[in-house]
Amino acid sequence: MRTPITLPVERPGPFEPPPELAALPPVVRMAYPDGHLGWLVTGHAAARVVLADPRFSARQELRHAPIRMVRLGDVRAPSRPGMFPSMDPPGHTRYRRLLTGWFTTRRIAALEPRIAEIARERLDLLAGAGPPADLVADYALPIPSLVICEILGVPYTDHAFFQEQAGLMVSLEHSVERAREAMGALYAYLGDLARHQRARPGDDLLGALARDGDLTDEELANIALILLVAGHETTASMISLGVLALLRHPAELARLRADPALAAPAVEELLRYLTILHLGAPSRAALEDVELEGELIRAGETVTLALPVVNRDPAEFPGPGRLRLDRPEAGRHLAFGHGVHLCLGHHLARTELRVAYTALFARFPSLRLAIPPGEVRVRAASITLGLHALPVTWDTPA
């Protein structure tokens, strides 16, 4: 019998999943830090089953954490009111129904001109300041942060505060106590915002929820926390990492520059290729015995999905280690999940990424790294993969 594996905390780099997981069977025994013996899924077909089958629960109190840390959603206790990602129907359904209308394809399409305007404004600032620049701080973070602030009704003037707190919450480079302090600070801030919205609701998402009258201040604050953190942290990481990947693959970047219609499929391939949900690997708890890929998952056992490996399953993605912007099957990636817990903001994230990549490379055709590739600092000790900074430069008119 194979010795149960443990989930590696580090990735070798931004473009490769942990090599010790790449050759594993689709479903393998995994030892959890608290002594629980559960399962790790590395196969694409098995991962889709786990994410879509209601016999696997997202309830926080039923799941064991795949790595030793205490962060958002890493406590075996019932979720706080409003924390819908770690709930099952009907509780999950109730909250999701209140939010879905704000993230439909039609609504995001109507928002795209504003996203493009924000991207242009940031590029104007970059051009005005001149090279070099840090693409993380000056471009990748501001775009999704501004957009989610406008959707929610959160003052963008406070963005430095909530970005810092959100970064502390998802990072493993700081103590658990510091992460808890950051979470507490964000809760206090969003609690005040919820009370303000209750008194004077605006025309934004939080204002609409406050007017609904069916949610408590705690529920409002928790929903805001989920959307605020998810709405800027992951997309910002994808923008900067995607730019780095394209700069490291000049032939693919040249194809993207030559054919704007390639932008949408390029986003799908970059989502598959990078899969930034790293240590925040989604987990589910079996509610009953379930057979999966010939293995018997017992009721009560936790199943964790290694998404960076799942999205490089050669049975689903031939030549998975190669970046191919026109890969026909790229859209079958699970970077946004699957089933009832499919990421609420996936249309928004896809649009932000497409706009950000297209506008950046159109504005600066000569964009390149300002430092050797090996000196780019990867934020690997984090729930989501990202970059500390991405120094870039470009040619300016003589």
Side-chain angles (χ1 to χ4, degrees):
M1 178 179 178
R2 182 191 291 265
T3 302
I5 62 97
T6 57
L7 191 66
V9 175
E10 295 288 342
R11 278 172 70 165
F15 306 138
E16 298 295 335
E20 57 267 48
L21 302 185
L24 292 175
V27 181
V28 64
R29 270 295 189 186
M30 174 172 158
Y32 289 69
D34 62 0
H36 176 70
L37 195 60
W39 301 87
L40 184 70
V41 170
T42 63
H44 185 274
R48 282 179 63 92
V49 170
V50 172
L51 291 172
D53 193 326
R55 293 176 295 176
F56 291 101
S57 172
R59 286 165 55 191
Q60 181 173 278
E61 70 271 25
L62 302 180
R63 296 181 283 120
H64 295 260
I67 61 172
R68 191 178 301 282
M69 65 178 189
V70 178
R71 295 294 191 269
L72 182 65
D74 187 33
V75 179
R76 295 197 71 217
S79 295
R80 299 183 183 188
M83 292 288 192
F84 62 93
S86 50
M87 296 178 178
D88 292 339
H92 171 267
T93 309
R94 175 200 169 216
Y95 292 117
R96 182 134 179 159
R97 188 178 292 126
L98 294 172
L99 301 169
T100 301
W102 288 81
F103 297 96
T104 61
T105 305
R106 178 179 297 181
R107 190 138 195 166
I108 300 307
L111 187 61
E112 183 170 338
R114 175 58 182 147
I115 298 172
E117 181 183 22
I118 291 171
R120 285 194 301 271
E121 290 170 352
R122 301 311 305 184
L123 291 171
D124 287 345
L125 290 172
L126 282 174
D134 173 14
L135 211 68
V136 173
D138 299 332
Y139 190 69
L141 266 171
I143 293 174
S145 297
L146 272 161
V147 172
I148 198 63
C149 282
E150 292 185 6
I151 291 175
L152 289 177
V154 175
Y156 183 69
T157 51
D158 297 334
H159 74 280
F161 165 76
F162 67 71
Q163 283 174 1
E164 179 184 7
Q165 308 313 311
L168 289 167
M169 285 168 53
V170 302
S171 173
L172 302 183
E173 296 176 343
H174 303 278
S175 68
V176 168
E177 290 72 23
R178 187 69 186 90
R180 287 173 173 163
E181 289 174 5
M183 192 180 302
L186 261 182
Y187 270 127
Y189 171 81
L190 294 171
D192 288 343
L193 184 65
R195 287 184 288 274
H196 173 79
Q197 287 278 14
R198 185 82 68 196
R200 293 182 295 278
D203 295 328
D204 40 63
L205 190 157
L206 290 182
L209 294 179
R211 281 192 301 273
D212 180 82
D214 192 38
L215 297 174
T216 66
D217 287 352
E218 182 184 11
E219 288 174 309
L220 271 176
N222 285 332
I223 289 172
L225 178 65
I226 292 292
L227 298 180
L228 188 62
V229 174
H232 85 273
E233 178 73 26
T234 52
T235 306
S237 293
M238 265 303 304
I239 291 173
S240 56
L241 277 166
V243 170
L244 177 61
L246 290 167
L247 292 176
R248 296 292 304 273
H249 293 79
E252 292 299 296
L253 176 55
R255 296 177 62 205
L256 177 61
R257 284 180 168 140
D259 182 8
L262 195 58
V267 167
E268 301 305 319
E269 173 66 349
L270 287 166
L271 286 163
R272 180 204 70 84
Y273 182 74
L274 293 166
T275 312
I276 65 168
L277 193 59
H278 169 41
L279 297 178
S283 296
R284 297 289 185 267
L287 298 176
E288 58 184 81
D289 291 357
V290 181
E291 186 174 334
L292 185 66
E293 296 284 344
E295 301 286 358
L296 182 61
I297 313 297
R298 297 286 187 183
E301 292 181 334
T302 294
V303 180
T304 294
L305 310 185
L307 286 186
V309 184
V310 166
N311 282 339
R312 296 209 179 184
D313 184 346
E316 189 70 25
F317 307 102
R322 178 186 169 196
L323 181 70
R324 285 180 47 204
L325 299 189
D326 61 349
R327 181 184 293 273
E329 70 280 1
R332 297 203 289 269
H333 66 78
L334 300 179
F336 291 118
H338 178 61
V340 298
H341 286 277
L342 178 70
C343 174
L344 183 68
H346 70 97
H347 293 308
L348 175 61
R350 285 179 160 106
T351 301
E352 290 173 332
L353 293 170
R354 176 171 49 79
V355 168
Y357 296 143
T358 303
L360 175 68
F361 289 113
R363 184 66 174 271
F364 300 125
S366 60
L367 190 79
R368 58 191 180 275
L369 291 177
I371 59 175
E375 294 181 13
V376 176
R377 294 176 58 225
V378 179
R379 195 187 68 226
S382 174
I383 294 174
T384 55
L385 188 68
L387 301 177
H388 289 286
L390 184 59
V392 295
T393 189
W394 58 90
D395 297 333
T396 57

